[in-house]
C-alpha cells in the first residue's frame, strides 16, 4: 500500500495576501493586486504592470545574519516556511533531522541579488562583489537556506521547470515521503521584479504590454494578450498521513492524491501537445474519474495559442463545460515556481469553504467551451481539485488535490 | 603625520555591513578574545569581511588570515601590521 501524503502546514506570500488568512480573504472575493511596478521605475520598459508584494521588510522577520546573504525570493521563502511550520504545529527538532527534507522549485533564482553584485562588478570591480553571490543567486538556494535554518538534513533538492516546477517539486516531495522521509517542506517562491529580472522575463515574448490593470492579463478572453508577472509563492509542510495522525497534527488541509507530467513534442511536429496526457496521468494516479474532479485551477497562460491548448485538453478530458475552471492567478499575476503551490493552497481552502474563487476581469471567449468561473465566486461542494501548471519550453504538470472530510 | 589604524570598531562595523550580526551575540561586549566562530560567523562571512577590509584599507591579506588569527584581537593586530607606517609593512 502506498502511503498517503497530506498537507499539514501552509505558508504563503502573494501580492494579494501575506499568510493564509489574508490571502484567502482577498482571493475568495476576487481582490486583485496587479498594479504599476514600484520596485523600480518601469517607464523605459515595454511592460509596466506586475503583481508586487508590498510592505515586506525581511528585517522584521529574519535574523540579521541572513539578510546580507539572501535574495528577496529567499527571504520570502524563509518567512513562508516559518509560518508553515507554525501552522503545522511542528518545531524543527521535533523530528530527527535526517527524516526531514526540502524540495523547492525555482524559475529564476536570485536575480535582484545578482543584479546588485553584477552592478558592483562592472562599476567598482571584482573586489566589491559579495562572497554570498556564490550561492545567493542559485536555483537551489531556497532549499538550502530552508534546510539550514530549520535543521532539515534529509533528502533535499530543487526542480527547475518554470511554472510546472511548483507541482513537480511537490510530487518529488511526495515520492520522498513514500520512500520513508517523515516530513518534507515543499513549494516554490520566485521574486525577480528588478530591471535584470524584468528583461529576462520579457524575453519570452508572452508578457502583456497593456497598461490597464484590468485588461492586461485575460486568460481565455478574446482579448488575451499575454500575462502579468508577479512575485511570491507558497511553502507546504507535507507528511505521511499516518505519521501526521500519530503526532496529532491538528490541521490536515488535504492530500496530494495524484500527479502526472509530460513534455511537449517538438514545435512543428504536428503532434498533440502533452497537456491532456499529463491531466489523464494525474487522474489515473489519483484513481479518480474526470467526474470526481469538482474544480480545475487552470494554468491560464493568457496567450491565445496556449489558452486554446489548455481549453482543448480540458474539453477532451472533462467534456464541453464539463467542470468548473478558475484562475485566481489573474489577481496576482503569474508567480512562476510559486504559482502552482499557491494554486494547491487555494484548492484546499476552496474545498474547505465550499467556494471557488473567481477568475477576475475575464469575459470568456466564445471560442472556448469551458465552464470558467468569472466575476463572482461560486459555491460548490468539491472533493477533488485539479491543478494544472505549464512551464516555458514544453513542461506540463497536473496534480489532483483531495480535500479532507471535516 | 597621523597613521591609518584598523580598530576593533572598524572590524565590528565591517562584519555587520558584510555579514550582519547574530542576535544571540552582543558585539559591543568584550569580544576581543572570542573566536569568530563563537561570534556567529562562518567561513564565507569571514571571506566577505576580509574582502571588505582589503578594499577599504587598500591592503592585501593572506588567504589564511582568519585561520591564523581566529579572534578579533589577533586579526586587528594582523591587519595593522599590513598598514603603511607599521613596522612590519
Amino acid at each position: 500500500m502506498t502511503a498517503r501524503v497530506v498537507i499539514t502546514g501552509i505558508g504563503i506570500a502573494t501580492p494579494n495576501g501575506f499568510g493564509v488568512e489574508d490571502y484567502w480573504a482577498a482571493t475568495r472575493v476576487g481582490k486583485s493586486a496587479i498594479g504599476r511596478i514600484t520596485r523600480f521605475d518601469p517607464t523605459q520598459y515595454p511592460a509596466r504592470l506586475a503583481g508586487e508584494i508590498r510592505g515586506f521588510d525581511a528585517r522584521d522577520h529574519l535574523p540579521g545574519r541572513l539578510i546580507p546573504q539572501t535574495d528577496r525570493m529567499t527571504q520570502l521563502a524563509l518567512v513562508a516556511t516559518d509560518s508553515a511550520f507554525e501552522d503545522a504545529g511542528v518545531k524543527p527538532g521535533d523530528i530527527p533531522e535526517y527524516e526531514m527534507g526540502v524540495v523547492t522549485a525555482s524559475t529564476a533564482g536570485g536575480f535582484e541579488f545578482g543584479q546588485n553584485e553584477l552592478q558592483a562588478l562592472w562599476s567598482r570591480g571584482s573586489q566589491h562583489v559579495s562572497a554570498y553571490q556564490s550561492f545567493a543567486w542559485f536555483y537551489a538556494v531556497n532549499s538550502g537556506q530552508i534546510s539550514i535554518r530549520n535543521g532539515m538534513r534529509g533528502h533535499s533538492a530543487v526542480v527547475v521547470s518554470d511554472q510546472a516546477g511548483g507541482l513537480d517539486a511537490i510530487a518529488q516531495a511526495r515520492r520522498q515521503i513514500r520512500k520513508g522521509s517523515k516530513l518534507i517542506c515543499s513549494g516554490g517562491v520566485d521574486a525577480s521584479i528588478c530591471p535584470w529580472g524584468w528583461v529576462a522575463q520579457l524575453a519570452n515574448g508572452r508578457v502583456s504590454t497593456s497598461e490597464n490593470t484590468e485588461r492586461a492579463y485575460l486568460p481565455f478572453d478574446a482579448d488575451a494578450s499575454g500575462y502579468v508577472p508577479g512575485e511570491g509563492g507558497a511553502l507546504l509542510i507535507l507528511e505521511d498521513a499516518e505519521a501526521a495522525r500519530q503526532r496529532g497534527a491538528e490541521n490536515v488541509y488535504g492530500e496530494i492524491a495524484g500527479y502526472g507530467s509530460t513534455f511537449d513534442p517538438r514545435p512543428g511536429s504536428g503532434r498533440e501537445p502533452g497537456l491532456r496526457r499529463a491531466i489523464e496521468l494525474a487522474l489515473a494516479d489519483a484513481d479518480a474519474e474526470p467526474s470526481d474532479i469538482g474544480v480545475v485551477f487552470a494554468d491560464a497562460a493568457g496567450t491565445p495559442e496556449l489558452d486554446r491548448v489548455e481549453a482543448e485538453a480540458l474539453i477532451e478530458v472533462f467534456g464541453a463545460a464539463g467542470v468548473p475552471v478558475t484562475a485566481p492567478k489573474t489577481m496576482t499575476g503569474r508567480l512562476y515556481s510559486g504559482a502552482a503551490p499557491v494554486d494547491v493552497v487555494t484548492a484546499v481552502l476552496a474545498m474547505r469553504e465550499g467556494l471557488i474563487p473567481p477568475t477576475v476581469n475575464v469575459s470568456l471567449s466564445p471560442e472556448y467551451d469551458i465552464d470558467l468561473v468569472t466575476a463572482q465566486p461560486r459555491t460548490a461542494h468539491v472533493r477533488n481539485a485539479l491543478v494544472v501548471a505549464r512551464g516555458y519550453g514544453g513542461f506540463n504538470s497536473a496534480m489532483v488535490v483531495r480535500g479532507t472530510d471535516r | 603625520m597621523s597613521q591609518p589604524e584598523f580598530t576593533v570598531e572598524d572590524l565590528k562595523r565591517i562584519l555587520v555591513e558584510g555579514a550582519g550580526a547574530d542576535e544571540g551575540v552582543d558585539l559591543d561586549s568584550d569580544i576581543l578574545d572570542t573566536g569568530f566562530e563563537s561570534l556567529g560567523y562562518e567561513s564565507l562571512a569571514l571571506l566577505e569581511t576580509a574582502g571588505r577590509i582589503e578594499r577599504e584599507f587598500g591592503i592585501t591579506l593572506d588567504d589564511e588570515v582568519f585561520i591564523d588569527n581566529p579572534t578579533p584581537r589577533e586579526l586587528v593586530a594582523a591587519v595593522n601590521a599590513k598598514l603603511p607606517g607599521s613596522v612590519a609593512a
Side-chain angles (χ1 to χ4, degrees):
Chain A
M1 163 110 192
T2 319
R4 291 172 57 232
V5 173
V6 292
I7 303 165
T8 58
I10 295 174
I12 187 166
T14 77
N16 71 342
F18 209 103
V20 173
E21 243 171 69
D22 213 24
Y23 169 73
W24 182 241
T27 301
R28 63 192 294 286
V29 297
K31 190 175 148 200
S32 171
I34 287 172
R36 186 178 164 93
I37 290 172
T38 62
R39 292 188 58 76
F40 64 93
D41 178 4
T43 308
Q44 61 180 318
Y45 299 87
R48 296 166 193 169
L49 299 182
E52 291 180 324
I53 294 173
R54 304 266 169 88
F56 172 72
D57 187 341
R59 288 170 298 188
D60 296 340
H61 306 275
L62 296 174
R65 282 287 285 105
L66 279 174
I67 305 296
Q69 58 175 282
T70 43
D71 182 80
R72 179 175 172 84
M73 60 136 196
T74 304
Q75 295 168 353
L76 289 165
L78 287 170
V79 173
T81 301
D82 288 351
S83 307
F85 268 111
E86 195 186 327
D87 190 27
V90 179
K91 285 190 298 295
D94 287 354
I95 295 174
E97 57 186 1
Y98 285 100
E99 295 180 20
M100 297 192 292
V102 189
V103 183
T104 65
S106 178
T107 293
F111 261 67
E112 193 170 40
F113 195 104
Q115 174 176 335
N116 287 336
E117 298 315 312
L118 284 174
Q119 281 174 326
L121 174 66
W122 297 329
S123 61
R124 292 186 284 163
S126 62
Q127 278 209 319
H128 292 261
V129 176
S130 165
Y132 292 114
Q133 168 68 359
S134 57
F135 60 69
W137 73 273
F138 187 45
Y139 300 109
V141 74
N142 287 359
S143 286
Q145 290 283 23
I146 291 169
S147 159
I148 294 166
R149 177 163 165 78
N150 298 289
M152 308 166 80
R153 306 182 76 165
H155 177 91
S156 291
V158 64
V159 182
V160 182
S161 43
D162 188 22
Q163 195 134 313
L167 293 183
D168 299 338
I170 293 171
Q172 190 178 127
R174 186 179 68 151
R175 279 200 296 281
Q176 289 305 324
I177 290 170
R178 287 178 170 173
K179 284 183 183 172
S181 290
K182 279 225 165 59
L183 180 154
I184 304 270
C185 175
S186 185
V189 173
D190 266 288
S192 52
I193 303 176
C194 61
W196 186 33
W198 199 242
V199 295
Q201 292 172 62
L202 295 175
N204 69 19
R206 294 176 182 171
V207 175
S208 171
T209 54
S210 167
E211 298 222 44
N212 181 339
T213 56
E214 292 175 4
R215 305 297 299 160
Y217 179 28
L218 298 171
F220 305 112
D221 189 305
D223 290 337
S225 62
Y227 71 92
V228 172
E231 61 177 353
L235 274 305
L236 313 176
I237 301 298
L238 300 174
E239 297 181 74
D240 175 283
E242 185 54 27
R245 196 189 60 76
Q246 279 174 11
R247 75 162 178 88
E250 287 174 7
N251 215 355
V252 176
Y253 286 96
E255 179 193 352
I256 306 302
Y259 163 76
S261 72
T262 61
F263 198 70
D264 279 336
R266 151 181 84 72
S269 71
R271 289 161 56 205
E272 184 196 356
L275 185 59
R276 174 186 60 81
R277 228 162 51 78
I279 294 170
E280 288 172 349
L281 288 167
L283 291 174
D285 185 38
D287 204 11
E289 297 296 323
S291 59
D292 294 330
I293 302 295
V295 63
V296 174
F297 289 82
D299 175 61
T303 55
E305 169 64 14
L306 289 165
D307 286 349
R308 186 184 58 72
V309 168
E310 185 167 27
E312 283 176 359
L314 293 175
I315 292 165
E316 189 81 21
V317 176
F318 295 99
V323 62
V325 177
T326 191
K329 58 170 70 78
T330 46
M331 305 172 212
T332 62
R334 287 173 70 81
L335 305 183
Y336 301 97
S337 74
V342 166
D343 276 342
V344 168
V345 169
T346 315
V348 296
L349 298 175
M351 286 189 279
R352 186 170 271 202
E353 182 167 337
L355 189 80
I356 300 172
T359 308
V360 298
N361 300 321
V362 170
S363 302
L364 181 65
S365 164
E367 198 187 326
Y368 308 127
D369 203 356
I370 59 173
D371 176 16
L372 191 69
V373 178
T374 55
Q376 295 295 323
R378 187 189 295 180
T379 54
H381 178 71
V382 176
R383 277 283 289 138
N384 295 281
L386 179 79
V387 176
V388 176
R390 285 178 292 183
Y392 187 88
F395 300 97
N396 305 291
S397 294
M399 182 166 278
V400 176
V401 185
R402 191 161 286 152
T404 315
D405 290 317
R406 286 162 67 83
Chain B
M1 203 178 91
S2 74
Q3 288 175 4
E5 192 196 357
F6 179 75
T7 66
V8 72
E9 293 306 315
D10 291 320
L11 174 61
K12 288 195 281 192
R13 171 177 54 77
I14 290 171
L15 279 167
V16 171
E17 282 170 4
D22 188 318
E23 276 74 6
V25 173
D26 180 11
L27 289 180
D28 289 326
S29 64
D30 183 8
I31 59 161
L32 275 172
D33 296 307
T34 309
F36 287 107
E37 207 167 304
S38 305
L39 294 172
Y41 296 105
E42 83 296 331
S43 60
L44 207 55
L46 300 179
L47 181 67
E48 174 65 16
T49 301
R52 284 172 179 258
I53 295 170
E54 287 180 325
R55 71 193 195 222
E56 183 170 329
F57 287 86
I59 55 173
T60 303
L61 298 171
D62 299 331
D63 290 347
E64 313 282 295
V65 67
F66 275 97
I67 295 170
D68 297 339
N69 303 280
T71 65
R73 186 190 302 277
E74 290 165 285
L75 186 84
V76 167
V79 171
N80 277 314
K82 293 275 187 182
L83 292 177
S86 83
V87 179

